[in-house]
């Protein structure tokens, strides 16, 4: 029988939520992260002046939440990314993103969104505890 208990995840290695939500939630063998932006978890400042730098910090934040949940970036199966300026920032975002994911890369949706002063926000779905 599959365990469907919902477990909220918190780590000091990623920025704290700015609202009423968990950094990640584990249900069964899946990890769902909140949408993370490029906030440095120590200084709480936005890290990075361009979309590539902000993407790297954002993915480091996602990775920290995954590790706290017993997963890893290599276990990600689905990514949803939001770009404040999808027309101008696509290439910088995609180049930085490729640094974090090997083949086969996760399925991904990328959309243009109003992000309130940041250039990128990312959330993922990953398999929990696949090892490696």
């Amino acid at each position: 029988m599959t365990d469907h208990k919902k477990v909220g995840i918190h780590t000091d290695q990623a920025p704290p939520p700015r609202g009423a939500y968990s950094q990640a939630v584990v249900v069964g063998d899946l990890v769902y992260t909140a949408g993370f932006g490029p906030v440095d978890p120590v200084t709480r400042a936005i890290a990075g002046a361009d979309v590539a730098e902000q993407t790297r910090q954002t993915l480091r934040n996602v990775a920290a939440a995954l590790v706290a949940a017993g997963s890893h970036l290599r276990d990600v199966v689905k990514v949803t990314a939001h770009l404040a300026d999808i027309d101008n920032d696509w290439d910088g975002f995609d180049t930085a993103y490729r640094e974090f994911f090997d083949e086969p890369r996760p399925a991904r949706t990328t959309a243009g969104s109003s992000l309130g002063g940041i250039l990128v926000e990312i959330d993922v779905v990953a398999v929990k505890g696949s090892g490696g």
Side-chain angles (χ1 to χ4, degrees), residues 40-101:
D40 182 293
V42 175
T43 66
R44 309 262 170 91
I46 294 172
D50 64 31
V51 74
E53 292 173 4
Q54 288 196 14
T55 298
R56 291 181 187 101
Q57 180 62 51
T58 298
L59 287 170
R60 286 192 290 269
N61 292 339
V62 169
L66 289 173
V67 168
S71 190
H72 191 275
L73 284 175
R74 71 180 155 268
D75 302 319
V76 172
V77 296
K78 176 70 169 95
V79 174
T80 303
H82 299 268
L83 298 178
D85 187 349
I86 196 166
D87 294 327
N88 292 314
D89 286 343
W90 173 266
D91 290 338
F93 159 76
D94 195 58
T95 297
Y97 176 93
R98 288 170 183 266
E99 297 170 11
F100 288 80
F101 294 103

